[in-house]
Amino acid sequence: MPNAIELIVDGYVRLNNRRALDDLRMQRRKLAVDLKARTGFDFRTTVQQIEEDIAVIEAGLARLDGAAAS
């Protein structure tokens, strides 16, 4: 079963909403940077999940690029 980010990305791709995907990727990147800068708690698992989310978002952007090239 797909996780939430996969469903969200799939919806944005079907709607051809590149801006929403770019905004989502930027939000995830900022969150990862913020968590990496924090001390006193181990955020590695959370950062790993965020990086996986970014990979899913970038795959969605690639799908949009592929659809535009066709």
Side-chain angles (χ1 to χ4, degrees), residues 5-6 8-14 18 21-22 24-25 29 50-68:
I5 197 71
E6 290 170 341
I8 292 166
V9 168
D10 186 53
Y12 286 146
V13 169
R14 280 189 274 137
R18 170 174 282 287
L21 286 172
D22 284 332
L24 188 61
R25 179 176 56 178
R29 285 181 175 168
I50 292 168
E51 289 172 349
E52 290 171 11
D53 289 354
I54 292 169
V56 170
I57 295 164
E58 289 176 345
L61 288 165
R63 285 170 45 200
L64 283 179
D65 290 342

Side-chain angles (χ1 to χ4, degrees), residues 20-31:
L21 286 172
D22 284 332
D23 290 346
L24 188 61
R25 179 176 56 178
M26 184 59 64
Q27 183 268 341
R28 290 292 197 275
R29 285 181 175 168
K30 286 179 183 178
L31 183 58

